Amino acid sequence: MPALFSMIKGDSKANRIAKWLVSGPPLLFLLVFFVAPSLIMLFTSLRFPGEFGGLAPIAAPAGAVHGEYGLTLETYQFFFSDILYAEIFLKSFAVAAASTLICLIMAYPLALLIARSEKRFRNLMVLLVVLPFASNFLIRIYAWMIILGPESVFSHFINTVLGAFGIAPVTLLFSSFAVLVGMVYVHLPFMVLPLYTNLEKHDPALLDAAQDLGANAWQRFWRVTWPLSLPGVFSGSALVFIPVLGMFAVPDILGGTGDILIGNLIKDQFLGTRDWPFGSTLSIMLTLAVLAITALAAWLARPAAIPEK
Amino acid sequence: MALLEIRNVTRRFGDFTAVDNVSISIEAGEFFTLLGPSGCGKTTLLRMIAGFDLPDAGQILLDGKDMVGTPPEKRPLHTVFQSYALFPHMTVADNIAFPLKMAGTTPAEISSRVREALDDVRLANFGNRFPQELSGGQKQRVAFARGLVNRPRLLLLDEPLGALDAKLREEMQIELINLQKERGVTFVFITHAQNEALALSHRIAVMNQGKVEQLDEPSRIYGFPRNRFVADFIGKISLMNAQVLEAAPSHLKLSVAGLGEVTAPSKENVKVGDTGVLAIRPEQVRISHHAEEVELKNHFIGKVQGFLYVGDVTTYLVELPNGARIEALLPNSAPGRAKFFEAGDPVAVSWRHDAGTFLND
Ligand SMILES: Nc1ncnc2c1ncn2[C@@H]1O[C@H](COP(=O)(O)OP(=O)(O)OP(=O)(O)O)[C@@H](O)[C@H]1O
Ligand SMILES: [Mg+2]
């Protein structure tokens, strides 16, 4: 918000009103959709679970003989006492990091291709990138069940190749591999779009200048295109990394029993075990982790480090 | 041997010929200018020299070596782009260091050369700034420094001063002349501003529609334009239809319709009966009171149609009896004087027998 404030100089009454008009709506948005839910979540995490799901009342109802009421830190103790949760967190972060990296490697050449093709083709190509959104997300994930299933052409092909090298056949579906495939598939457009938006703005004269000054194709990429694209890389990475962390549908459908991620864990607390306070605790921990990572990324991508033109 | 030789170079885009059979040879140390109106093919020619584009026909030789198979990054020349094309993510110092790094210069050498280059363009304290923190003139100087830092054989400049305002432009012109002289680097400079070309260059190639119309020293381009296009494009000039009456080794006698006989300097390849135009510069035409005694042979009475006051001089537009118009320039040498004649005044215009040029059709 300080950045927004400093855009309008002076301190007259009109300016003060203008400041609130400019920064008010985003502030309100943050308040309603982030701060308030987080506080509710925090409060929930400090309560006791109700007997049949939901929450136990804070004050013991008249005539209650047993049960727990009031506030407690029990769920946090529980979270930190079992290494299992740390492992699931770590695994989720590893999957998110791997998905982000694979998305980046796949999306970059595509974004570059779109940005450098003729103007009249660009919008069409962007449309093709977002076209999968036209069909339901779950249907697309189920489609991968078929593609990766044991009877699929793809599976047969992989196992034939492996067989040629004397390697035993593998099952692709219900594995960490399948989870990764699903994650990358679902999130790829979120990487392509910010990258393309960035690359499309690059001034082609800069590449000419670099070449004219002695840079070969490789040097032109690493010294000009790549550093100028870092803001796009960071926003694309955030748009992939964060949703992957919370995703439960993909591991549910494509993963095996051992492929539980944070998202599944949280979902289970609310829909399965019906332990709302613990589910809230897990959500709070996830939010804190994401905030920490976002802060780190924002610091890495600070304007002084990578000035956009 | 010439440093750069452009031999019969042609470049077509579809059925449009952007550069049409151009041959130019440029000596080492020269400040050479390509001058021409917008769209005449200057940039296209420059991009072929830099290697970003290849000729459809003809050759470009640098030090006698055909450049056709040499990509831009391998050619021993640099370009200063009109948009400057400074790298926005690098400091001024890093921008200037870029060509040195690409050439594999040692870090110690790089830092001393960058410092030297910054000094040369009077930006010693700006090394840590980013391009977006500089003024237009400063960006321009960084672009020059970057182009010159590893001492290329040839520096190509595509309208580098086009984006600057008039005052700054004049300053940068002087700076450019000095830089070129000090470094002894050959410059191929593009502009569509004829005064800039005249002020800066050793030689000028005037281009029109992909062809070179005239290639000469500035004073000859101005004084002896070879054809109507060059005469019209460079400076101000009055043109009058004329026919050759007499072609002597010492002079030409022309008949100008409605005016009568005019004497002009002799010229090769002009025969009696040839038609063309008599071209004469405003500063060669003397304007005086109509009753004043004038001893010059080319001497006519006319009427002032209008005038243009630009401070140091005033240009008068005079209509001659035949309806032709001629411009005459008079310095405002008397203090506070903005004009010596009013519109409608009858005046005498005259010029020396060796002024003006006859241009064949
Ligand atoms: N890649 C291209 N494809 C088609 N036509 C082109 C191309 N490049 C240049 N031309 C045409 O060639 C002609 C010469 O262009 P060029 O850029 O060389 O002009 P110029 O003399 O540099 O003009 P200006 O002073 O406006 O920069 C123009 O008519 C232009 O439209
Ligand atoms: Mg041009």
Side-chain angles (χ1 to χ4, degrees), chain B residues 128 188 281:
Chain B
N128 290 324
V188 176
R281 300 270 181 207

Side-chain angles (χ1 to χ4, degrees), chain A residues 156-223:
Chain A
H156 279 299
F157 172 76
I158 293 285
N159 283 323
T160 313
V161 173
L162 288 180
F165 290 96
I167 300 170
V170 291
T171 320
L172 298 175
L173 195 55
F174 308 132
S175 67
S176 303
F177 169 77
V179 172
L180 210 54
V181 167
M183 292 291 198
V184 168
Y185 166 73
V186 169
H187 295 96
L188 195 58
F190 297 107
M191 185 65 92
V192 176
L193 295 180
L195 274 178
Y196 162 71
T197 310
N198 171 290
L199 290 169
E200 192 248 357
K201 281 186 300 191
H202 289 199
D203 179 3
L206 293 179
L207 289 179
D208 278 356
Q211 186 173 19
D212 183 77
L213 295 167
N216 61 33
W218 191 244
Q219 290 166 320
R220 292 199 290 279
F221 177 77
W222 284 113
R223 287 179 182 271

Side-chain angles (χ1 to χ4, degrees), chain B residues 42-44 82 158-159 190:
Chain B
K42 305 180 295 287
T43 300
T44 306
Q82 177 166 3
D158 191 350
E159 303 204 29
I190 284 190

Side-chain angles (χ1 to χ4, degrees), chain A residues 38-218:
Chain A
S38 295
L39 287 176
I40 295 172
M41 204 65 102
L42 185 66
F43 187 57
T44 309
S45 74
L46 298 173
R47 309 242 323 245
F48 287 101
E51 229 170 319
F52 308 103
L55 298 168
I58 294 190
V65 215
H66 54 80
E68 293 157 311
Y69 309 99
L71 298 177
T72 174
L73 282 172
E74 212 172 59
T75 53
Y76 289 89
Q77 269 171 354
F78 187 58
F79 177 82
F80 286 109
S81 66
D82 196 339
I83 188 79
L84 175 74
Y85 299 115
E87 276 173 7
I88 292 179
F89 261 65
L90 222 58
K91 176 158 188 205
S92 305
F93 277 91
V95 168
S99 310
T100 306
L101 191 67
I102 296 169
C103 277
L104 180 63
I105 292 171
M106 291 175 69
Y108 207 107
L110 179 59
L112 207 55
L113 177 83
I114 301 176
R116 295 202 181 156
S117 48
E118 265 185 74
K119 235 192 185 110
R120 58 205 166 104
F121 295 132
R122 283 186 211 160
N123 285 341
L124 180 69
M125 292 166 96
V126 170
L127 185 71
L128 289 177
V129 169
V130 297
L131 199 59
F133 291 130
S135 75
N136 182 279
F137 157 77
L138 284 175
I139 290 174
R140 287 182 284 135
I141 297 300
Y142 278 113
W144 276 103
M145 271 183 92
I146 298 168
I147 298 173
L148 297 174
E151 296 308 317
S152 75
V153 177
F154 183 67
S155 279
H156 279 299
F157 172 76
I158 293 285
N159 283 323
T160 313
V161 173
L162 288 180
F165 290 96
I167 300 170
V170 291
T171 320
L172 298 175
L173 195 55
F174 308 132
S175 67
S176 303
F177 169 77
V179 172
L180 210 54
V181 167
M183 292 291 198
V184 168
Y185 166 73
V186 169
H187 295 96
L188 195 58
F190 297 107
M191 185 65 92
V192 176
L193 295 180
L195 274 178
Y196 162 71
T197 310
N198 171 290
L199 290 169
E200 192 248 357
K201 281 186 300 191
H202 289 199
D203 179 3
L206 293 179
L207 289 179
D208 278 356
Q211 186 173 19
D212 183 77
L213 295 167
N216 61 33
W218 191 244

Side-chain angles (χ1 to χ4, degrees), chain A residues 203 205-217 219-220 223-225 227-228 304-309, chain B residues 47 50 52 71-73 75 77-79 81 83 85-90 95 98-99 101-102 130 132 146-147:
Chain A
D203 179 3
L206 293 179
L207 289 179
D208 278 356
Q211 186 173 19
D212 183 77
L213 295 167
N216 61 33
Q219 290 166 320
R220 292 199 290 279
R223 287 179 182 271
V224 180
T225 307
L228 285 175
I306 324 120
E308 269 201 272
K309 49 177 182 172
Chain B
R47 286 180 67 81
F52 291 114
E73 63 265 35
R75 299 194 181 191
L77 54 84
H78 291 328
T79 307
F81 296 86
S83 60
L86 299 179
F87 303 121
H89 58 299
M90 296 183 198
N95 263 282
F98 190 86
K101 280 185 191 151
M102 294 303 107
F130 282 93
Q132 54 273 40
R146 188 177 68 174

Side-chain angles (χ1 to χ4, degrees), chain B residues 61-94:
Chain B
L61 295 92
L62 199 71
D63 281 323
K65 185 176 166 277
D66 194 337
M67 288 282 107
V68 69
T70 314
E73 63 265 35
K74 297 255 170 61
R75 299 194 181 191
L77 54 84
H78 291 328
T79 307
V80 174
F81 296 86
Q82 177 166 3
S83 60
Y84 313 133
L86 299 179
F87 303 121
H89 58 299
M90 296 183 198
T91 61
V92 166
D94 285 339

